[in-house]
Structure formats: C-alpha cells, structure tokens
Amino acid sequence: MFLPRFLLIIYLFSATEFNQLLKLPVLVMHFQEHQQKNPSISFFQFIHHHYLVNHADDGDAERDNQLPFQSHDNCGSFQAPIYLFLTFSPLPPQVVILSKEKPSFYSDSHLLSAHLNSIWQPPQFV
C-alpha cells in the first residue's frame, strides 16, 4: 500500500497545483504580519483582502505574490508507465461462437421502392 500512495503524492505535487499547499506556512506568517499592523483584522478579512477583491497594493506586493494560489507555477507532467508485475500469467483462451446472421437494426420497410430506384437512374435531359 505504500507504493501507490507514494506515487500519488509525487504526481499531485509535481503535475498539479497541489504543490501550492506547501506555501501555507507563508500564508500564516503573512497573516501574523498583518495582525501586527492591525490587531483587529480577522483571518477572513485577511483572506477577503488578498484573494476575493482586487487587491490594492499595501506595500508588500512581493510578499503577497509568495502566498499560495497567487500565481500559477509552470507545472507539467511526464508520465511514463512503470510495470511492476512480478509474474505474468496469460488468461486462458475462450471460444466464442458467433451466429452466422449478423443482427441488423436498420429497416427500410418504410421506404417505397420507387424512391430507392429513382436515385440510381441516369441523368435525363428535358
């Protein structure tokens, strides 16, 4: 069970924006910096100020850009198949008998034969 979880974690941190969660300590520290400037600010006001409104520059734009989900990292993915089969046992062959008639769901019984034959007539000049 360890290997699938390990591979999932590697995939999430390398090929998705999941790696932004590694920046959560920066979010907490920046919130504490804002609380030192303004002790009455709540965490939700801080989130609203930095994420939900067009953020006005308050002199710490460089620090704001370090917050999670403020910028998109150039994350790409390279996926290579890894085969970890220890043994290979082929499936036993199965005999399948098909009927001679193929089932058809098309029915032209509603078409008049005159309409079908008129398509295949040579062009006529009047």
Side-chain angles (χ1 to χ4, degrees):
M1 281 312 280
F2 173 74
L3 185 63
R5 290 178 185 165
F6 180 70
L7 292 176
L8 177 65
I9 289 171
I10 288 177
Y11 172 75
L12 288 175
F13 279 103
S14 65
T16 66
E17 290 292 324
F18 198 73
N19 64 348
Q20 294 287 326
L21 296 179
L22 296 174
K23 297 180 182 180
L24 284 178
V26 176
L27 179 76
V28 173
M29 291 183 346
H30 192 55
F31 170 63
Q32 290 172 348
E33 292 168 0
H34 274 270
Q35 267 196 327
Q36 288 175 357
K37 293 179 187 175
N38 181 7
S40 65
I41 190 171
S42 70
F43 184 72
F44 293 109
Q45 290 172 333
F46 170 78
I47 294 296
H48 184 268
H49 175 70
H50 283 83
Y51 288 98
L52 299 177
V53 295
N54 289 337
H55 181 69
D57 188 19
D58 53 355
D60 59 352
E62 184 176 326
R63 183 72 166 159
D64 290 343
N65 290 333
Q66 295 174 353
L67 295 175
F69 304 107
Q70 286 290 343
S71 64
H72 298 286
D73 292 337
N74 293 328
C75 60
S77 76
F78 173 76
Q79 297 160 355
I82 300 173
Y83 297 104
L84 300 174
F85 298 113
L86 299 177
T87 61
F88 177 74
S89 58
L91 296 174
Q94 295 179 351
V95 177
V96 178
I97 299 173
L98 299 175
S99 65
K100 291 183 181 180
E101 291 185 27
K102 294 181 181 178
S104 174
F105 298 105
Y106 174 73
S107 172
D108 60 355
S109 61
H110 62 282
L111 296 176
L112 297 174
S113 62
H115 287 59
L116 292 174
N117 290 335
S118 66
I119 296 173
W120 306 113
Q121 298 296 319
Q124 299 176 3
F125 297 102
V126 181

